[in-house]
Amino acid sequence: MERVDVAIVGGGPAGTSAAWKAAEHGASALVIEKGVPRADRDHLGPDSTDAAGMLDYWVDLMDFDPEDIPEEIILRRLDGADFIGPSETLTIEDTSIDASYPDFGFAFHRARFDDWLREEAEAAGATYRVGDSITAVETDRSGDGTRAQTHQLTLSNGDTVESEYLVLADGPQRTVTTDVLDQFLPGSRSITDHLNPRTANHIAYQEHRRVPDDIYEPHRLKFWWGYMPGHTAYPWVFPNDGDVARIGLTMPIGLDIDDFDRSEWALLREDDDGIPRGGEYIERLLELVYPEYDIEDFPLVEDRGKQGGTETYPISSTQPIESPTAAGIAVVGGAMGGTSAFHEGGDHVAVRTGKLAGELAAKDCLERYNSAWKDALGDEFTRNVTMADVVHDYGPDDWDWAFGTAERLLNRGEYSWWSILRSGLSGYRMVRLYNSTKDTFRDGGYVQLAESEYET
Ligand SMILES: Cc1cc2nc3c(=O)[nH]c(=O)nc-3n(C[C@H](O)[C@H](O)[C@H](O)COP(=O)(O)OP(=O)(O)OC[C@H]3O[C@@H](n4cnc5c(N)ncnc54)[C@H](O)[C@@H]3O)c2cc1C
C-alpha cells in the first residue's frame, strides 16, 4: 500500500491547488483524478468546466499576483458586463472591489488553466494520478503512533493508498465527500440534507458558437435575467477566442413548468409541456435578441468541449459547509458548496480553499482550516449568499426594477448618498434590503453546517 501525508480526491482547481501547496510546504501529496476526455485536450484530465471568466478581484482572492497567470491561458481581456432585464439594462465597467488585476477581468481557457495548476503542483513535488477514481475511504481515528489518524483510500483499479490527511475535492457531485462526511454526522443525519446534488446544485449548459462580426462584443460578459423561470436561472454569453463565444445558461435542476406562468417569461412558449432543454433555450435566446439573424448565422464549433462543442455540468449553488478538521479532513471548492451559480464564480474559491487546505495539512495544523477560509473568503461568501437570497423569487418585473434602480444607484460602481437621493425611494429600498439581508449572513452566518455539528 502506498503511503502519503496528504491524499486528495479530485484534480480540479481545488484539489490541484491543495497538492501544490502541500508539496511546496514539504508534505508528500497525491492527487487522484478519475480523468475525463475532452476534444481540446489530448490526454485525460480533470472535468474542466469550460466556461471560464475571472473577475479582477478574484485574482487576489486566489492569492495570485496578476503576473502569475500565464498569458497562454487568457483568451480575452474583459472591459465590463451587461445585465439585461426584459426592458432595463445595467452596464458595469468596474467590479467596484479593490483589485490588483488592471482590467475588469478576463475570459480564460479552463483546460489550460487546470493543466497549468497541475504543472505547478508537479513541479513542487506532488504526484497527479489520472485514470482511476476513488471508490471508498475508511478513516481510522486512532492513528498509528506517528500519525494522528489514517485514511485508507480504495481506487477503482483495486490499489489502496493511506494518508494522514484527506482533502475532498471531488466537485459538486460529491461522489466521495457524501459518504466520508456522513460517518461524522449524528443519528440519521446526512450531508445530503445540506448538499444533495439534486437540490443544492444547478445545471449549467453551454455551446461554443461563432458570432457574426457586427454583433460580437469580444470584451464583455452578457447576462439576461428575467427571461427564464427558476431561482438564479439565466442565459449568458462569454467571449472566447476569435469570433467564438460560449453561449450558455444556468438553471435549477428538476423545475416543473406548471409552477410557472408561461406568458410571463420571454423564453417560454404557451405550448411548452416541459421546461425547454438547454439547446432549445439558447436558440430561443438568439432568435429573440438578434431577430435579424438566423440560428445558422451562429454555427456550432464542434471541436471544443466535451460533446461536439456542447457541455453540461452541475454547478454548486448553495451555502458552504465547514469541514471535520479534527478527523484530518478538509472539504474544498465545489465539494464544500463553495461556489455560486449566481455569478458562475467558483474557480477562485476552489483555488483558495485548496491552497489553504494543502498548506495547513502540510504544517500539521489543519484545525485552522475553517477559520482560514472564512478569513480569506468571508466577504465573498457573504456577498454571494446575500445576493442569491435577495433575488430568490424575482420575476421579470423585479429584474427590471433592480437593474433600472442599480443603473441609477451605482453611479459607476460607487454607492454614495448622492446617488441614493437621485434614485429616490426605489434606491433606498434596494440598499436597505441588501444590507438587512447581508446582516443575517455576516460573521460566518452563511455557513450551513458548522464544525461543531460533526461527531469527531
Ligand atoms: C458551465 C459552468 C460555467 C462556469 N463558469 C465559471 C466561470 O466563468 N468562472 C468561475 O470562476 N467558475 C465558473 N464555474 C464554476 C467552476 O467550474 C467551479 O467552481 C470549479 O470547477 C470548482 O472546482 P473544484 O476543483 O472544486 O471542482 P471540479 O472542477 O468539479 O473538479 C472536481 C474533480 O474531481 C474529479 N472527481 C470526482 N469524483 C472523483 C472520484 N471519486 N475519484 C477521482 N476523481 C474524482 C472530477 O473528475 C473533477 O475533475 C462554472 C461552472 C460551470 C458548470
Side-chain angles (χ1 to χ4, degrees), residues 36-43 301-309 311:
V36 175
R38 296 180 59 89
D40 51 9
R41 194 194 258 130
D42 57 12
H43 51 87
V301 184
E302 295 187 12
D303 61 345
R304 312 285 174 94
K306 282 206 305 209
Q307 251 184 341
E311 310 187 34

Side-chain angles (χ1 to χ4, degrees), residues 229-245:
H231 163 41
T232 52
Y234 57 99
W236 37 260
V237 173
F238 278 49
N240 211 69
D241 57 312
D243 60 352
V244 178

Side-chain angles (χ1 to χ4, degrees), residues 26-53:
S28 54
L30 170 66
V31 179
I32 297 128
E33 163 57 48
K34 69 176 178 209
V36 175
R38 296 180 59 89
D40 51 9
R41 194 194 258 130
D42 57 12
H43 51 87
L44 286 181
D47 197 356
S48 311
T49 59
D50 196 14

Side-chain angles (χ1 to χ4, degrees), residues 127-142:
T127 304
Y128 190 103
R129 189 168 305 160
V130 62
D132 287 300
S133 46
I134 300 294
T135 55
V137 177
E138 262 181 55
T139 298
D140 181 353
R141 296 296 319 284
S142 58

